Amino acid sequence: MNNQLYINEIQTLFDDVQRSQIFEDQKTMTDAVPLFSVSEINSKYENEKNAEGFDLKQFVLSHFDFLGTKISITRETQLPIDEHIEKLWDELTRTAYEEKGTLLKLPKPYVVPGGRFNEFFYWDSYFIMLGLQTSGRIEMMENIIENCSYLIQTVGFVPNASRTHFLSRSQPPYFSLMLDLLFETTKDETIYIKYYDTLEKEYAFWMNGEKDLENGLSIKRVLKTVDGDILNRYFDEANEPRPESYLIDIEDGENAGEEFYRNIRSACESGWDFSSRWFADGDTIQTIETLNLAQVDLNSLLWHLENTLAKSSSLQNLSEKGKYYSERATGRKRMIDKYFWNENSGTYRDYHMKKNTKTSSEHIAALYPLFLGLATENQAKSVAKNIEEKFLYQGGLVTTTKNSGQQWDFPNAWAPYQWLGFKSMKNYGFDDLAEKIKTNWSSNVERVYRNTGKLMEKYNALDIETVAGGGEYPNQDGFGWTNGVYLKLKQN
C-alpha cells in the first residue's frame, strides 16, 4: 500500500465512515491501520453493510487497528516544566521502519508533535530541533535532517507530514535552516556538502514550472508577475476534500468556487490552516484564495534556500552554480522589497497576483525578512514598532489582528512566531522588545502548565485565564514545537 492507494482502495467505506461521524475526529480513520488485506475488508463490507442490524462502527473497530492514533500524556505528580519536557522528548519519539496504513516509512527515529498528531511533521520539526539543541540531543537533530533528506530524495520534497494523503503538498521549506541549526551546534561545515544534492532537489520542487511561464500566469508553486518577476506561492496538487478533514471540507465547499479544495489544501501547505489571511472577504472560508497570493514567508525561506545553495556551491568550488544561486538570491531579495514591503503601513504584506497589489491582511509572517536578515535597519525599526503596537499581548505574539474564529488568527499565540519574533528583534538590536516577547509567552506557557500539567499546541495571548481556541479540532497537548521554543527561549 503506497502513495494515495490505501484511502482510495477503501474509498466507499472511508466515505461512509467520515460522513457518518462515528469518530469525533475525522483524522482518526485516516490514521487507522487495516488488520486484514484491503480487498478482504472491502469485500466483507459490501456483503454486510446492508444487512439488518449492521453496526458500522463495530465493523470498523474489528477490521482496523486504532492504537497510536492519539497520544495521551499523564503524570501522577507534576514535575518542574523543564524536567517534564525532557521526559517528553522520549515519549514523543517514534519510529516507522515500514509503511503501516497511511504512515510513510522513515529511516530514522523522529519526534512527533503530540495529541492527534502522531507522525513526522515538516516545519514543526525545525522548532522541535531548537529544543533538542538546548537539551543536547544532537543525534535526534541529525535524525530529523536525515528523514527530511530521505523524503526529498525519494518523494521529491518533504510532505506536510509523513502520511500518504499528504503526498500532494509540502510545508514551509525549513530544510536549509535545519542545516544551519546543526552547523551552529556542531561547527561541521561538511553538512552543507553532504546535503547539497538534497538542497538542489528541494529547490527544484519549489521552482518546478518556472521555465516557460508567461507574465501574469502561475503554475504549481511558481507565479510570474505582470512585470515578469518570479515569485512563489503555496500550492497542492489535489483539488478534492482532505481525507483528514473530509466532511468539514465537503460541508464548507458546498457554496464555494471550483478550486475551493485546492485553495484549502494550499493553505495547509503554509502551516496556517486556517486564517483570515487567506480569505478574500477577510471573514469566511468559502472565499479562500490562497492560490492568488505570493506569500512573504515562503519567498523569504526560498531566499534562504538559494543563499544556502550559493554557500554550499562555493564550499565545493562550483563557481558556475555558486554564481547562479547567488544571482537568484540577490534577485529574490529585490523582489521581496518590491512586492511585499508596504511603505504606507510600515510592514510586509502578501502580494495578490491578480490584483497586482499587496493584500490588506496584517499578519505576523511579516517577521520573516527580519528573522533572516533581509530587512534594512529602517524597515526593521518600522516592523518592530508595528509588532509591539498591534501584535504583542500579555500572553505573547498573536498571528493576525483579526478575530475570525480561525485558529491562525487573533487572539492565538503559536510557538514558532514567538521564536521568530524574539530572534528578529535580537537581529536588529531591539533587545528590550525581544525580552518582552520571550517573557510574555513563556509566562503564559508556565501558567497553563501549572494549571493543567500540559504544554499546548497554541495559547490565548489576550485572555491569559484561558488556553486557546478556534479551528477544526480542540487544542492539542504534547506539544513538540512549544517544548522546543520554550527551552530555546529560556536558554537565551
Side-chain angles (χ1 to χ4, degrees), residues 252-267:
D252 284 344
E254 281 177 0
N255 299 306
E258 63 181 41
E259 285 226 293
F260 173 77
Y261 297 133
R262 198 190 308 278
N263 274 293
I264 282 282
R265 287 165 162 268
S266 300

Side-chain angles (χ1 to χ4, degrees), residues 86-99:
E86 287 301 330
K87 284 186 175 292
L88 281 173
W89 291 139
D90 295 326
E91 291 169 18
L92 294 173
T93 294
R94 297 288 182 275
T95 57
Y97 298 131
E98 57 183 40
E99 284 192 7

Side-chain angles (χ1 to χ4, degrees), residues 47-65:
N47 290 334
E48 296 176 17
K49 67 179 182 179
N50 296 319
E52 190 177 338
F54 176 74
D55 187 325
L56 178 59
K57 186 167 187 177
Q58 194 51 51
F59 178 88
V60 170
L61 291 175
S62 61
H63 289 81
F64 293 86
D65 180 1

Side-chain angles (χ1 to χ4, degrees), residues 46-172:
E46 288 302 319
N47 290 334
E48 296 176 17
K49 67 179 182 179
N50 296 319
E52 190 177 338
F54 176 74
D55 187 325
L56 178 59
K57 186 167 187 177
Q58 194 51 51
F59 178 88
V60 170
L61 291 175
S62 61
H63 289 81
F64 293 86
D65 180 1
F66 291 87
L67 292 175
T69 54
K70 185 170 174 61
I71 301 164
S72 183
I73 295 153
T74 55
R75 295 265 188 273
E76 286 184 18
T77 55
Q78 196 171 122
L79 298 170
I81 190 168
D82 293 24
E83 289 180 35
H84 178 72
I85 293 173
E86 287 301 330
K87 284 186 175 292
L88 281 173
W89 291 139
D90 295 326
E91 291 169 18
L92 294 173
T93 294
R94 297 288 182 275
T95 57
Y97 298 131
E98 57 183 40
E99 284 192 7
K100 286 185 178 179
T102 58
L103 191 66
L104 297 173
K105 69 176 183 181
L106 289 171
K108 300 287 185 181
Y110 51 91
V111 178
V112 301
R116 74 202 282 267
F117 303 111
N118 201 10
E119 54 275 300
F120 179 88
F121 274 80
Y122 186 11
W123 79 313
D124 291 63
S125 294
Y126 173 77
F127 298 97
I128 286 168
M129 283 175 71
L130 293 172
L132 295 171
Q133 181 194 46
T134 307
S135 295
R137 296 184 180 230
I138 315 305
E139 185 180 353
M140 186 58 83
M141 293 176 70
E142 293 169 339
N143 289 346
I144 287 170
I145 288 171
E146 271 292 296
N147 285 331
C148 287
S149 180
Y150 167 80
L151 288 164
I152 292 167
Q153 293 294 341
T154 56
V155 177
F157 60 98
V158 185
N160 182 151
S162 59
R163 298 230 174 237
T164 55
H165 50 280
F166 292 131
L167 288 172
S168 57
R169 64 175 177 268
S170 185
Q171 268 194 333

Side-chain angles (χ1 to χ4, degrees), residues 192-451:
Y192 295 107
I193 300 169
K194 179 181 179 181
Y195 292 107
Y196 183 67
D197 183 51
T198 304
L199 289 163
E200 284 204 305
K201 274 192 168 66
E202 181 168 52
Y203 187 61
F205 165 77
W206 286 97
M207 302 311 296
N208 184 15
E210 72 165 318
K211 192 178 174 189
D212 301 316
L213 197 55
E214 294 178 21
N215 289 14
L217 296 179
S218 55
I219 183 169
K220 296 186 178 180
R221 291 161 179 83
V222 186
L223 56 83
K224 202 169 192 178
T225 69
V226 289
D227 291 349
D229 296 318
I230 293 288
L231 292 170
N232 289 81
R233 65 175 182 174
Y234 293 114
F235 181 79
D236 189 300
E237 299 291 340
N239 186 32
E240 58 194 30
R242 295 166 296 153
E244 73 279 13
S245 300
Y246 191 73
L247 190 58
I248 297 165
D249 283 357
I250 288 170
E251 290 173 349
D252 284 344
E254 281 177 0
N255 299 306
E258 63 181 41
E259 285 226 293
F260 173 77
Y261 297 133
R262 198 190 308 278
N263 274 293
I264 282 282
R265 287 165 162 268
S266 300
C268 292
E269 185 166 79
S270 77
W272 286 47
D273 41 350
F274 293 99
S275 167
S276 59
R277 178 184 180 186
W278 312 126
F279 304 162
D281 68 358
D283 290 304
T284 53
I285 201 163
Q286 283 74 22
T287 68
I288 192 167
E289 58 169 355
T290 324
L291 295 168
N292 288 334
L293 312 178
Q295 296 88 3
V296 63
D297 44 357
L298 176 57
N299 283 275
S300 298
L301 287 166
L302 288 171
W303 170 85
H304 187 273
L305 177 51
E306 289 162 343
N307 204 46
T308 304
L309 278 162
K311 177 170 64 178
S312 180
S313 300
S314 169
L315 284 171
Q316 300 169 85
N317 297 314
L318 301 171
S319 55
E320 282 301 308
K321 281 194 171 183
K323 182 171 180 284
Y324 171 75
Y325 289 119
S326 185
E327 286 173 355
R328 295 302 303 253
T330 301
R332 194 180 295 267
K333 184 176 181 181
R334 193 168 61 248
M335 295 308 109
I336 287 168
D337 259 350
K338 178 178 177 180
Y339 290 99
F340 302 115
W341 175 249
N342 188 318
E343 190 67 48
N344 293 332
S345 60
T347 191
Y348 293 91
R349 303 281 179 93
D350 295 325
Y351 170 71
H352 196 295
M353 181 189 170
K354 291 192 172 175
K355 295 178 180 175
N356 190 24
T357 186
K358 294 164 187 68
T359 61
S360 60
S361 175
E362 298 177 295
H363 56 74
I364 200 76
L367 285 168
Y368 272 88
L370 282 71
F371 177 62
L372 297 172
L374 287 161
T376 65
E377 294 294 330
N378 283 338
Q379 285 171 329
K381 188 175 180 181
S382 182
V383 171
K385 182 173 183 288
N386 188 279
I387 292 293
E388 186 163 27
E389 290 177 357
K390 295 185 176 182
F391 291 84
L392 183 59
Y393 287 83
Q394 194 174 349
L397 291 171
V398 296
T399 43
T400 72
T401 56
K402 188 173 183 65
N403 190 345
S404 70
Q406 299 293 339
Q407 64 174 357
W408 283 88
D409 273 326
F410 183 92
N412 287 340
W414 294 78
Y417 285 94
Q418 314 311 310
W419 175 248
L420 264 64
F422 175 81
K423 192 73 169 63
S424 296
M425 297 312 131
K426 294 295 271 187
N427 285 346
Y428 289 88
F430 304 119
D431 292 349
D432 289 348
L433 181 52
E435 197 61 31
K436 202 180 291 185
I437 292 167
K438 167 186 164 178
T439 302
N440 288 18
W441 183 75
S442 298
S443 300
N444 200 4
V445 171
E446 289 161 359
R447 175 192 60 81
V448 171
Y449 180 68
R450 279 195 306 272
N451 293 342

